[in-house]
Amino acid sequence: MMNLSKAVVSKISMSLKTPFHTSLGTVSDREGLIVELFDDKGDCGLGEGVAFSSPWYTEETVESSLSVISNHLLPLLFESDITYPEQLEGVFHSVRGNPMAKAAVDMAVWDLYAKQHHKPLTDLIGASRSEALAGVAIGSKDLDDLLQQAEQAVAQGYQRIKVKIRPGYDLKPLRTLRENFPDIAILADANSAYSGFEDDLLKLDDLGLQMIEQPFSPDDLARHAEIQRVMKTPICLDESITSYETAVNAITFKSCRVINVKIGRVGGITAAKKIHDLCLEHDIQVWCGGMLEFGVSRAHNVVLSLLPGFTIPGDLSSSDRYWTRDITVPELVVEHGTVKPFEGNGIGVELDRERLDEVTISRFEYKK
């Protein structure tokens, strides 16, 4: 048994260095949840709730996640007698949906379990890569600013650029980037901005893009399958993949050739690893996406990205790209387009308590 003693959930808020633009909105200030899970010996596992303040990305929000974690997930966890993290899926089975809330607790359980066994989390999930490949996401309403962001990313050694697109802002910025950076991998991310096969969307097929991510509604596997049949550019699904089961459906319907795995979006590390294994089995490319996270989730992303199937650069940008000071030490640093695994047991980072206190809005404690 894991011998849990208490959990602490902190709601935090930090300002991004630069506002981040997507087809669904602009993020200037990022709220989130930090979950600390303690055992009776004082070991602490860390998780992060990555829902946004409003339901623009998925239905979940920071407040809804906090409610589900506090009122449902933690009581279920503390009433259970789990001995290893994979059992958590069964414990939470009675709570429908809410994958981001579940993932926050799941991360903390995995980190604590690894620390209790005095092992890095990479060892426990079978992560075998010596380094993780790093990409960067950029977004701007101004083309000159977009080019400047791309130049900075290339100078910093990032191996892939992800560009946020939408109808009316797609072909021109991507063509300009391709002309200026003929050799860099470029990924176009639509965040479900398209309602049909708009002319410029199909014209993107001529730009040699690494992939086009989530052009249509998350529920529209049929239209994604249709556009994948007519385009040579791989279609990647992001928001559509909310669980192992949705990944099975997407692969069965041939709706994509690539899947973006986000620990928070799919319900935790256990589900993310199962999706990774499924993609390997069906020759689907897989990579680790980002959510403008803080250091806890970034550390978990590094662990996930060291699984053997993650051969595409993920959203593993350096912490200082977004934050003046993150809440964990050490911070994530990208060097020459790669990230080395953190040293130490669990995810390999600890909370910067002073910084956490500075950015905490509220705090909730649950005891057995």
Side-chain angles (χ1 to χ4, degrees):
M1 294 174 56
M2 296 188 68
N3 298 317
L4 305 177
S5 63
K6 70 173 181 177
V8 178
V9 184
S10 300
K11 178 182 175 182
I12 68 173
S13 178
M14 284 166 51
S15 296
L16 290 158
K17 282 185 173 180
T18 304
F20 191 78
H21 303 281
T22 77
S23 64
L24 298 172
T26 298
V27 180
S28 299
D29 298 293
R30 181 67 160 109
E31 290 185 337
L33 302 175
I34 302 300
V35 176
E36 302 173 66
L37 189 60
F38 295 87
D39 67 10
D40 56 4
K41 295 182 179 179
D43 286 327
C44 177
L46 302 176
E48 182 174 326
V50 297
F52 289 93
S53 301
S54 61
W56 63 269
Y57 178 73
T58 69
E59 298 89 343
E60 286 184 85
T61 66
V62 174
E63 288 300 327
S64 71
S65 290
L66 180 59
S67 175
V68 170
I69 290 170
S70 305
N71 297 316
H72 301 283
L73 301 183
L74 290 179
L76 285 171
L77 173 62
F78 277 74
E79 290 168 7
S80 72
D81 294 322
I82 66 169
T83 56
Y84 52 93
E86 287 92 338
Q87 293 174 308
L88 206 57
E89 283 190 326
V91 173
F92 291 162
H93 183 69
S94 62
V95 178
R96 295 295 183 104
N98 294 283
M100 293 181 177
K102 291 178 179 178
V105 180
D106 176 273
M107 291 181 200
V109 169
W110 271 104
D111 187 34
L112 176 59
Y113 183 79
K115 289 172 178 173
Q116 289 177 333
H117 288 77
H118 310 290
K119 291 183 178 180
L121 184 51
T122 50
D123 291 355
L124 295 182
I125 70 168
S128 58
R129 301 176 64 86
S130 61
E131 59 187 15
L133 304 177
V136 66
I138 61 176
S140 176
K141 297 178 181 179
D142 180 75
L143 186 55
D144 290 335
D145 180 51
L146 191 73
L147 280 173
Q148 184 177 10
Q149 290 184 42
E151 289 172 356
Q152 292 174 348
V154 171
Q156 292 166 355
Y158 288 99
Q159 301 183 29
R160 183 225 69 198
I161 296 173
K162 180 164 76 171
V163 183
K164 298 293 185 177
I165 63 169
R166 61 186 183 276
Y169 188 80
D170 43 24
L171 185 59
K172 183 177 180 180
L174 288 170
R175 182 177 285 161
T176 302
L177 284 171
R178 177 52 74 211
E179 290 171 352
N180 283 269
F181 305 98
D183 300 322
I184 194 75
I186 299 176
L187 183 165
D189 184 8
N191 289 119
S192 306
Y194 295 83
S195 58
F197 289 15
E198 287 90 339
D199 287 343
D200 282 351
L201 181 59
L202 295 177
K203 290 177 183 178
L204 301 183
D205 213 16
D206 298 325
L207 298 180
L209 300 176
Q210 185 182 41
M211 67 190 80
I212 299 172
E213 184 177 358
Q214 198 70 45
F216 307 125
S217 167
D219 296 328
D220 199 348
L221 293 181
R223 187 168 294 176
H224 281 108
E226 185 179 354
I227 197 171
Q228 183 64 97
R229 282 195 296 270
V230 301
M231 295 188 76
K232 62 180 180 287
T233 304
I235 297 299
C236 171
L237 291 183
D238 176 359
E239 290 96 323
S240 296
I241 310 301
T242 56
S243 64
Y244 173 80
E245 289 75 19
T246 55
V248 170
N249 288 338
I251 293 172
T252 301
F253 298 147
K254 298 182 179 180
S255 299
C256 63
R257 295 179 194 159
V258 187
I259 283 179
N260 168 344
V261 178
K262 293 176 179 172
I263 297 172
R265 197 192 60 239
V266 303
I269 291 175
T270 301
K273 186 179 185 306
K274 287 170 62 178
I275 294 171
H276 162 270
D277 296 345
L278 177 74
C279 289
L280 282 185
E281 179 183 349
H282 292 275
D283 198 27
I284 298 292
Q285 290 185 294
V286 63
W287 60 282
C288 180
M291 295 278 293
L292 296 177
E293 295 116 322
F294 306 106
V296 172
S297 187
R298 287 175 184 272
H300 280 280
N301 288 346
V302 171
V303 172
L304 184 71
S305 298
L306 295 170
L307 286 169
F310 285 91
T311 57
I312 299 176
D315 291 335
L316 298 176
S317 306
S318 295
S319 296
D320 65 4
R321 178 175 179 81
Y322 297 109
W323 315 118
T324 55
R325 179 181 171 188
D326 209 338
I327 60 166
T328 53
V329 288
E331 293 189 358
L332 191 152
V333 177
V334 175
E335 294 182 339
H336 309 296
T338 62
V339 177
K340 298 292 184 183
F342 292 108
E343 297 180 357
N345 297 326
I347 55 175
V349 302
E350 300 294 339
L351 290 173
D352 179 340
R353 295 284 176 182
E354 180 182 44
R355 179 57 171 164
L356 180 66
D357 288 343
E358 288 177 352
V359 299
T360 293
I361 300 172
S362 63
R363 190 164 281 154
F364 169 82
E365 184 171 310
Y366 184 93
K367 289 187 177 181
K368 192 167 184 176

